[in-house]
Amino acid sequence: MVWLAGCQQKLNYRDGKYRSAREMVRLKKSGRYSSARPVRKTKIVGAAPRGAKTKIVTKRTARMGNATGTLASVIEAARSYQGTPYQYGGTTRLGLDCSGLLQLSFGEAGVSIPRSSNEQAVWGTPVRTTELQPGDLVFFGASPGSRTITHVGLVTVADDEGVDFIHASTSLGVVENSLESDYYLSRFIRAVRPQL
C-alpha cells in the first residue's frame, strides 16, 4: 500500500494514444507508429526438396496471453482505470493506490480480495517469474533488495517478448510497465497466482 518513491517514467503517446514502453520500442525498431501488435508470426522451417511439403510453424502472440474468463475481465477492468491519478488509500476513479486498483478490478469481476498489498501477497499460490501469466500479482519493495512488500501490480501480458503489469504509480497514476525494467526488477519480491 505504501507507494514506490522513484517512479519517474514518462508516458508515451503517439497519435493521441498511450503506448507501453515495449510497444514504443517495437514501433521505433520497425520505423512505423502503428498501434497493432502482431497477431501471428509465420515462418518456414528448413529447406524442402522439390515436391516435398514444407513445414510451417505458426506462433500466436496476443496481448491477453492465456487470460480467459474472470482473469481477462479483471485485466480489462484494471486497464479501464489507466490515467486515474494516484491517491494513498484511494479506491475510486478520483484516485487509487496500488492495492485499491487490484481490489476494484477483481471486485468488478465478482471476486473479493484483501485490501492491502501485504494481505494480497498471501492470497494465492506463489509462482516463479519464469512462469508468470496474465492475471498473476507481482509484489515489490520500496528500494532495491528490500524484502518488505510496499507495492503490487497485476500482470497483463506474459509472452516471449516479456512481462507487462498494470499498477498505480505515485507519480503517474495507473499505468502499464514492463517488469524487465531495471527499476522494477531490482525491487521485485514475489509473485502469486490468484486462487479463483
Side-chain angles (χ1 to χ4, degrees):
M1 203 148 92
V2 177
W3 58 93
L4 290 175
C7 291
Q8 296 299 323
Q9 290 118 359
K10 295 187 179 193
L11 292 177
N12 296 305
Y13 285 91
R14 288 287 186 262
D15 305 322
K17 292 173 110 180
Y18 168 75
R19 311 283 186 191
S20 69
R22 182 188 300 172
E23 190 173 13
M24 288 302 296
V25 169
R26 188 178 312 108
L27 293 172
K28 287 177 184 176
K29 281 183 181 177
S30 69
R32 300 181 316 242
Y33 288 101
S34 164
S35 63
R37 183 177 182 156
V39 175
R40 290 187 177 270
K41 295 179 183 175
T42 305
K43 67 178 182 176
I44 298 175
V45 179
R50 185 173 289 209
K53 293 183 180 179
T54 57
K55 178 180 178 185
I56 297 181
V57 176
T58 303
K59 177 181 171 186
R60 183 159 183 79
T61 56
R63 289 218 44 92
M64 292 303 284
N66 50 7
T68 57
T70 302
L71 290 177
S73 297
V74 171
I75 291 169
E76 183 179 335
R79 284 181 168 156
S80 76
Y81 288 98
Q82 281 186 330
T84 300
Y86 181 89
Q87 180 182 347
Y88 180 75
T91 58
T92 70
R93 289 194 182 275
L94 297 175
L96 291 168
D97 65 10
C98 58
S99 55
L101 170 65
L102 267 58
Q103 188 180 43
L104 283 177
S105 300
F106 275 91
E108 287 184 25
V111 179
S112 177
I113 70 168
R115 173 64 179 96
S116 76
S117 56
N118 283 310
E119 294 169 325
Q120 291 171 357
V122 295
W123 182 74
T125 306
V127 63
R128 296 180 198 186
T129 55
T130 56
E131 299 169 349
L132 285 171
Q133 297 175 3
D136 290 344
L137 309 182
V138 287
F139 298 89
F140 306 90
S143 60
S146 172
R147 301 309 306 158
T148 304
I149 292 171
T150 59
H151 193 65
V152 61
L154 172 70
V155 174
T156 55
V157 177
D159 60 22
D160 292 340
E161 294 181 21
V163 175
D164 289 349
F165 69 101
I166 192 165
H167 63 118
S169 159
T170 57
S171 58
L172 300 173
V174 178
V175 293
E176 225 169 321
N177 289 110
S178 172
L179 183 63
E180 286 83 11
S181 74
D182 290 340
Y183 183 87
Y184 293 110
L185 281 179
S186 68
R187 290 160 173 78
F188 178 81
I189 296 176
R190 69 182 305 197
V192 299
R193 180 156 302 143
Q195 295 290 317
L196 301 180

